[in-house]
Each structure stands twice: as C-alpha cells, then as structure tokens.
C-alpha cells in the first residue's frame, strides 16, 4: 500500500495540497510537473488499498488512469475546478469539484477544511487570476491592503514558476517549492523567512515580463494577438503575460502564440464581460482545454492559427 499526493505544479495545486497536509499530515509520494503537465495519474501505477489525493487537475484528462486505479482497488479524493464531465460513480472516489467561475481548487479544499488555512487559498486565488475574489475574502479576514499585495505577489510568483515546457525551464521544481513552503502555516511567514528564493523568483519574473511586453502586438477587431519566440523566458511568461494583458484592457480577448519547434502553443483569455468560455474555443482543437476565463491549446499547427483567430473574432465581436 502506498500514498500519493498528485498536484498541479502551479500556485493553486501547491496551495490546495499544502492546506490539506497542514491539517492532515502524512508522508506521501509527490507527483507533479509543469503547469500544462496535467495527465499526472499516468506517472504512477496504483495498487490495491493505495490512497491518492489529487489537486487541481481535470478528471476528464485522467479518466483512463483513474478508472484503472479504481479497478485495482485504490481510493481517491479529488479537489478540482477544471472540466469534469466523466466522473465515475464509485464508492472509492470522493470528489470535491466545481465549475463555478472564480472558484479555484484551493477554495474547494478551504471549504472542506472550513476555512482553516484560508490565507493559502488566497495565494492560490491570486495565482489563478481571481484577484477580486481574493481581495474580498482577504479583507473579510482582516488583512491590510499591503498584506494582500504581498499574498498577491506570492500567488503570482508560484504560478509563474509553474510555466514552462519541462522542469528544466523553471526556477524551482514544483515539488521542491512545495517542500520549501511545507513548514509554514502562514504565507506571510514564508515570505518573511525565504527572502532569497522570493526575490530571485521576482527578479526573473520581472525580467521575463519586460521582454514579453516589449514585443509588438496586433489587434484584429476585439482580439489582441502577441507572438512569443521559442525561448525559455517566453515559455515561462506566456500564460502570466496573457493574464496581465487581459486585466489591463478587459474588453478585448487575448491570444498569445508561443513558437515551439514545429508548431505553436496558444493561451486564450476571453473579454471579462463576455459569456462564452475561453475553454469552448480551445476545445475545438484536439489539444485544447482549460477553464472559463483562461484556456489554452498545447499543440497548434502553424496552419491552424488563422482558423483559431477567426473563431475568436467571431465569438468575441
Ligand atoms: Mn487552478
């Protein structure tokens, strides 16, 4: 019998796991990866009586491995806010899922723990670009504006650290980052104690942002398009750059095209007050997925770029 904690390598995934483990400590095998590495269940072979907790990855993307694990006699608990249309009905699967806008996986864990480690859920909300939600909850909890600004920076840094094609692109591997925060009940304590790590991450993020913002953008009706080169810094910043741009001018949809070896990857953000989910557009492509507000396509062949842009223009006019 073995225990596994399987989590997305971004702020939400790490903070979701962290909240649960502060309240229920146990030593488990950690399985994670870069943010887009979401078929994480494939990385383990589950056996009878294994206990598996999963955070912030979609059931739909892992349905085969989950079914196999359940058949083997393993038990799962699953906290997530991505698409979950294929939830198996099984006594050994406990789900804490939502598709509500503005609710991240860490908030599902927060609900499960009756808000016990909510400050970490705030960090996750900031990381997942739910800053209004975080500010509302944080103000209720008595955090000052300055404290909230610090939590926001931490969320953005942890999220930023998860972007890349492989762990090699990242400043610190997500499981290592989790080990660093593990002993801190409060994110503000972590920030005060781990200044070197935080400031190094911050410098690298600002540097990557600057390079991205300096590149020209093109606007076609309500869709703003930016193209990034096949570089480490660009792979790290593409998603966060999309978030920052979409917050800057909320009436536009954004498309960030990141060049890869022989294709592109796409980050899609919808205009704030538009109803059509970004994921609905992404899912029209074989490797597309994501959430209502933020979606992406992992492998977009060059010749399909125009069709993606057309779909976005039509949808968000
Ligand atoms: Mn998330």
């Amino acid at each position: 019998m073995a225990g596994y904690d399987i989590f997305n390598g971004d702020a939400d995934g790490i903070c979701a796991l962290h909240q649960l483990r502060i309240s229920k400590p146990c030593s488990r095998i950690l399985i994670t990866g870069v943010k887009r590495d979401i078929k994480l269940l494939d990385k383990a072979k589950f056996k009878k009586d294994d206990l598996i907790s999963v955070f912030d990855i979609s059931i739909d993307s892992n349905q085969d491995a989950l079914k196999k694990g359940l058949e083997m006699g393993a038990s799962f608990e699953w906290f997530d806010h991505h698409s979950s249309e294929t939830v198996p009905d099984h006594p050994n699967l406990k789900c804490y899922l939502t598709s509500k806008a503005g609710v991240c996986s860490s908030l599902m864990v927060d609900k499960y723990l009756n808000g016990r480690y909510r400050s970490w859920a705030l960090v996750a909300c900031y990381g997942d670009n739910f800053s209004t939600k975080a500010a509302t909850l944080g103000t209720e909890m008595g955090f000052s504006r300055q404290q909230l600004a610090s939590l926001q920076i931490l969320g953005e840094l942890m999220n930023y650290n998860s972007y890349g094609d492989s762990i090699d692109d990242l400043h610190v591997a997500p499981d290592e980052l989790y080990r660093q925060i593990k002993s801190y009940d409060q994110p503000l304590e972590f920030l005060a104690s781990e200044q070197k790590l935080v400031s190094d991450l911050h410098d690298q993020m600002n540097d990557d942002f600057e390079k991205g913002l300096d590149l020209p953008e093109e606007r076609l009706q309500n869709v703003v398009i930016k193209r990034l080169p096949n570089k480490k810094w660009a792979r790290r910043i593409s998603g966060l750059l999309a978030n920052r741009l979409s917050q800057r001018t909320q009436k536009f949809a954004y498309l960030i095209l990141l060049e890869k070896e022989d294709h592109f990857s796409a980050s899609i953000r919808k205009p704030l007050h538009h109803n059509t989910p970004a994921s609905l557009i992404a899912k029209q492509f074989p490797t597309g997925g994501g959430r209502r507000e933020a979606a992406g396509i992992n492998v977009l062949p060059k010749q399909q770029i125009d069709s993606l842009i057309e779909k976005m223009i039509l949808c968000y006019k």
Side-chain angles (χ1 to χ4, degrees):
M1 182 196 123
Y4 296 89
D5 282 333
I6 303 182
F7 57 106
N8 191 293
D10 72 359
D12 193 18
I14 294 175
C15 292
L17 164 65
H18 183 41
Q19 288 176 88
L20 195 75
R21 283 295 150 255
I22 322 178
S23 96
K24 294 182 180 176
C26 62
S27 170
R28 289 187 163 186
I29 298 162
L30 302 180
I31 296 181
T32 185
V34 298
K35 191 183 183 87
R36 289 218 171 141
D37 192 1
I38 52 168
K39 293 186 88 172
L40 293 175
L41 265 66
D42 289 345
K43 298 188 185 185
K45 260 210 163 110
F46 304 118
K47 299 182 301 294
K48 191 171 160 39
D49 297 329
D50 284 350
L51 296 174
I52 301 112
S53 302
V54 187
F55 308 88
D56 201 38
I57 53 171
S58 155
I59 279 202
D60 294 350
S61 307
N62 289 279
Q63 50 175 309
D64 294 339
L66 171 61
K67 272 181 207 149
K68 218 184 260 171
L70 287 167
E71 274 163 27
M72 295 305 291
S75 295
F76 295 80
E77 59 180 346
W78 203 298
F79 299 87
D80 187 48
H81 67 134
H82 298 93
S83 86
S84 52
E85 281 157 20
T86 56
V87 182
D89 182 14
H90 196 286
N92 287 351
L93 171 66
K94 289 208 172 68
C95 287
Y96 308 89
L97 307 171
T98 182
S99 53
K100 251 168 76 182
V103 179
C104 59
S105 305
S106 286
L107 280 176
M108 297 308 289
V109 177
D110 174 73
K111 194 173 157 193
Y112 178 78
L113 298 173
N114 296 313
R116 231 174 117 198
Y117 300 103
R118 182 164 293 164
S119 45
W120 283 107
L122 299 186
V123 172
C125 285
Y126 281 121
D128 265 8
N129 204 19
F130 300 151
S131 44
T132 313
K133 179 93 182 185
T136 310
L137 284 175
T139 306
E140 270 170 29
M141 291 164 73
F143 282 115
S144 69
R145 274 174 101 142
Q146 203 190 350
Q147 287 172 321
L148 287 178
S150 299
L151 297 180
Q152 176 156 19
I153 287 168
L154 180 57
E156 289 185 359
L157 287 177
M158 289 174 72
N159 187 50
Y160 155 78
N161 183 64
S162 66
Y163 283 105
D165 274 5
S166 69
I167 301 289
D168 188 47
D169 287 343
L170 313 186
H171 185 72
V172 46
D175 53 345
E176 185 48 39
L177 182 57
Y178 167 65
R179 284 187 191 98
Q180 302 247 24
I181 70 164
K182 214 174 140 178
S183 49
Y184 298 95
D185 284 7
Q186 292 296 331
L188 292 174
E189 281 170 28
F190 170 80
L191 281 168
S193 306
E194 304 289 343
Q195 287 175 13
K196 166 98 173 90
L197 170 68
V198 174
S199 72
D200 285 354
L201 247 182
H202 210 166
D203 289 347
Q204 191 190 270
M205 182 177 80
N206 286 341
D207 211 54
D208 292 353
F209 258 131
E210 230 167 87
K211 289 182 182 134
L213 289 167
D214 276 351
L215 292 173
E217 52 192 50
E218 171 192 5
R219 183 156 78 82
L220 294 171
Q221 298 186 41
N222 282 338
V223 180
V224 177
I225 303 146
K226 210 184 239 296
R227 290 164 200 265
L228 302 185
N230 187 14
K231 295 262 165 64
K232 260 190 187 191
W233 71 263
R235 292 195 287 273
R236 288 193 298 253
I237 207 63
S238 59
L240 218 48
L241 187 67
N243 291 351
R244 184 173 283 190
L245 291 173
S246 76
Q247 276 176 347
R248 191 190 63 187
T249 317
Q250 302 179 337
K251 66 173 199 176
F252 295 135
Y254 283 86
L255 170 62
I256 304 272
L257 292 166
L258 175 61
E259 199 183 338
K260 297 286 172 73
E261 291 284 293
D262 55 357
H263 63 272
F264 285 77
S265 75
S267 298
I268 301 167
R269 301 294 181 269
K270 73 174 187 64
L272 185 69
H273 299 296
H274 205 287
N275 282 331
T276 310
S279 52
L280 203 79
I281 290 180
K283 279 183 190 162
Q284 294 176 41
F285 296 81
T287 58
R291 300 183 273 113
R292 196 173 171 273
E293 297 84 1
I297 301 165
N298 283 339
V299 181
L300 183 70
K302 194 176 180 190
Q303 59 274 21
Q304 285 181 22
I305 291 177
D306 286 346
S307 136
L308 170 60
I309 294 174
E310 266 165 43
K311 284 183 205 299
M312 287 182 71
I313 290 175
L314 209 74
C315 181
Y316 296 126
K317 68 180 171 201

